[in-house]
Amino acid sequence: MPKEILKFYFRINASHSESRTFGIHYKFVLTNSFRIVKRVDLVKVINSLLDFNDLETLTHKLLSDHPAVRQRYQLAEFKHILVDEFQDTNPVQWAIVQGLASVEQAGSLFVVGDPKQSIYMFRNADVSVFEAVKQQITTTGG
């Protein structure tokens, strides 16, 4: 999470460098955000809570570190997977989808999306993932 805050800070700071007031407020937020993130992480651990980033990270780890789990889902649980709004997929989400459906298995993965409508760049959505997957699916006969 701190890396995301820094990326956001530098992006905003660069686009608003002429605004001294904005810079002062933003420096306050940045200075305190690390403390806030640490506190939130502690509260999550104490209360056995997960946020969306945790769910993505842990699901990815489960599917990549445990081949038996991955094979169970790829071969038995899910024969076909449809992912809508795929243009807003980030690399971790793509890895999760790959853990659930094999692109090499023609017809197992169907993605829907429009690169011109990608709106989740702040969550690391990467339109190039959409284009690469579309090419992979086409290449494998999907």
Side-chain angles (χ1 to χ4, degrees), residues 22-91:
F22 181 82
I24 292 167
H25 293 298
Y26 203 78
K27 285 178 185 172
F28 172 81
V29 170
L30 182 65
T31 303
N32 290 294
S33 62
F34 292 108
R35 199 166 14 133
I36 293 167
V37 168
K38 284 179 135 181
R39 176 74 180 175
V40 168
D41 286 344
L42 178 62
V43 169
K44 288 188 316 186
V45 169
I46 290 169
N47 293 290
S48 301
L49 301 172
L50 299 172
D51 63 19
F52 191 74
N53 288 334
D54 298 330
L55 293 171
E56 283 183 339
T57 302
L58 293 171
T59 301
H60 174 254
K61 187 169 176 47
L62 174 68
L63 292 169
S64 41
D65 292 355
H66 302 280
V69 173
R70 185 175 55 250
Q71 289 172 355
R72 173 184 166 194
Y73 285 101
Q74 282 185 352
L75 302 175
E77 296 290 327
F78 304 126
K79 300 220 185 283
H80 309 284
I81 292 181
L82 177 137
V83 182
D84 195 9
E85 302 295 342
F86 196 78
Q87 76 277 358
D88 288 321
T89 301
N90 66 39

Side-chain angles (χ1 to χ4, degrees), residues 9-24:
Y9 170 75
F10 290 122
R11 187 174 66 227
I12 296 296
N13 203 29
S15 64
H16 293 89
S17 59
E18 68 281 353
S19 169
R20 292 186 73 218
T21 304
F22 181 82
I24 292 167

Side-chain angles (χ1 to χ4, degrees), residues 106-135:
S108 68
L109 178 62
F110 186 86
V111 299
V112 178
D114 180 354
K116 294 176 188 168
Q117 294 186 19
S118 182
I119 60 171
Y120 283 96
M121 289 178 62
F122 68 94
R123 293 221 14 94
N124 297 322
D126 185 353
V127 176
S128 68
V129 171
F130 176 81
E131 296 299 336
V133 171
K134 186 169 75 171
Q135 182 61 42

